[in-house]
Amino acid sequence: MVTAIPQDYRNRPVAVVGAGTLGRRIALMFATRGGQVNITDPNAEQGEQGVVYAMGELPAVAARVDGGTAGTVGYVRDQAEAVQDAWLVVEAVPEKLELKKQIFAQLEQDCPADAIISSNSSSYASRLFTEDLRTNDRMLNTHFYMPPAAITLDVMSDGHTAPEVIDFVLRTFPEYGLRPFHCRKESTGFIFNRIWAALKRESLEVVYAGVSVPEDVDAMFSMNFGTKAGPFRMMDQVGLDVVLDIEEHYAQENPQLPEGPRILLREYIADGKLGVKSGAGFYDDYPKPS
């Protein structure tokens, strides 16, 4: 059986489920070809903020995309309405497995039969929430990093994804200024995040063990690798609660991982230090949230 791939996709909307930090950025990228992108989120305020961000950034980002033309990003509160004619639906909700299972089950019912349904999950293989669904041959991971600054993404099968769907994604996403990389075997953390997890975890362990402090680790990292930010500054940007959720998931799969990194993260979170979004994390020089 040949799995249906989206027909007439340039004249159909993209839908993004979740208007958080990454959801709104994913929406931004798919609006660079002159089309419509629907953001859906039960939190109307967050949904509207996502639209404001995407539309504000869109003209400049579309100008950088080959053949780009600014489209439209809108907020649609009702998920079924947001996805009803979409050729692509990207789930970008918090890293909660049960939540993702619920959303994918509902999307299977509400999406057009030829729509691709993907997850932006940063740590869960989509197999974990698609394995009991009837049409999991059109479902997969498309894990984005931080567009538009980082245009790379991991593309990984859920174990049943049809090859023609993988090929379609790898061929089509570059039209929107993105650079997909095929993860050729199931891997917790995909490609880059698996490598980043090891760097992040050991950085946390060095500080937890009292060997160094975040500022010195970051300074050495930046000087040695020529980066603008080190691991602790980058974790602050992601959000320490998110980093902890991901580390907890890795630890469930591999109980041999050191506990020190998770203990250190919990200490900061208990003090209300979540990173940039709370005004303080490993660093305290961020604007205070209004």
Side-chain angles (χ1 to χ4, degrees):
M1 181 183 73
V2 176
T3 301
I5 59 173
Q7 301 300 306
D8 195 27
Y9 68 94
R10 288 198 181 96
N11 294 315
R12 293 166 59 185
V14 169
V16 179
V17 182
T21 301
L22 276 166
R24 62 189 61 179
R25 285 165 169 77
I26 294 167
L28 164 64
M29 297 309 294
F30 283 106
T32 59
R33 301 294 293 193
Q36 172 70 32
V37 179
N38 298 327
I39 294 178
T40 183
D41 193 299
N43 184 325
E45 182 179 0
Q46 181 160 276
E48 296 293 352
Q49 289 174 350
V51 171
V52 169
Y53 167 81
M55 290 301 294
E57 298 289 326
L58 183 55
V61 176
R64 301 204 304 262
V65 174
D66 187 23
T69 303
T72 303
V73 179
Y75 171 63
V76 181
R77 179 162 190 156
D78 182 69
Q79 180 177 296
E81 181 183 349
V83 307
Q84 63 183 355
D85 192 38
W87 69 268
L88 170 70
V89 180
V90 182
E91 168 271 309
V93 303
E95 293 290 274
K96 307 295 183 184
L97 184 57
E98 288 306 314
L99 175 61
K100 292 177 185 290
K101 285 182 177 180
Q102 293 169 15
I103 287 175
F104 265 75
Q106 191 63 48
L107 289 175
E108 183 175 55
Q109 296 181 42
D110 295 337
C111 292
D114 65 342
I116 294 172
I117 306 174
S118 71
S119 174
N120 179 59
S121 178
S122 60
S123 56
Y124 288 112
S126 51
R127 167 184 58 81
L128 297 173
F129 35 91
T130 70
E131 56 189 355
D132 295 326
L133 300 179
R134 294 178 294 100
T135 61
N136 53 17
D137 56 339
R138 57 163 171 166
M139 301 175 184
L140 73 164
N141 282 98
T142 55
H143 169 240
F144 296 77
Y145 288 85
M146 194 61 76
I151 62 171
T152 58
L153 66 143
D154 303 283
V155 175
M156 188 173 80
S157 169
D158 68 357
H160 298 278
T161 313
E164 52 265 38
V165 169
I166 296 284
D167 290 344
F168 183 83
V169 167
L170 294 174
R171 183 175 68 251
T172 304
F173 278 29
E175 296 179 12
Y176 299 88
L178 298 163
R179 176 62 168 91
F181 289 86
H182 186 196
C183 190
R184 297 160 194 269
K185 186 176 181 180
E186 184 177 296
S187 169
T188 300
F190 312 102
I191 303 169
F192 183 82
N193 262 11
R194 182 169 169 177
I195 298 165
W196 160 238
L199 288 168
K200 173 181 59 180
R201 191 175 302 120
E202 193 60 24
S203 298
L204 290 163
E205 180 67 20
V206 163
V207 170
Y208 173 75
V211 175
S212 189
V213 294
E215 295 83 357
D216 287 353
V217 172
D218 277 1
M220 292 185 74
F221 190 95
S222 297
M223 293 175 72
N224 285 334
F225 290 101
T227 61
K228 292 182 179 179
F232 289 94
R233 183 70 78 175
M234 288 189 275
M235 283 188 275
D236 273 356
Q237 292 170 357
V238 171
L240 302 192
D241 52 340
V242 177
V243 174
L244 179 60
D245 283 345
I246 294 169
E247 280 303 300
E248 297 281 19
H249 175 58
Y250 280 122
Q252 288 174 3
E253 291 203 356
N254 182 4
Q256 303 303 314
L257 292 176
E259 191 177 2
R262 283 166 281 139
I263 293 173
L264 184 65
L265 288 166
R266 291 188 198 110
E267 290 174 353
Y268 276 82
I269 293 169
D271 288 338
K273 296 181 176 181
L274 305 181
V276 173
K277 61 186 174 184
S278 69
F282 291 113
Y283 294 85
D284 60 5
D285 56 359
Y286 307 116
K288 300 299 179 184
S290 56

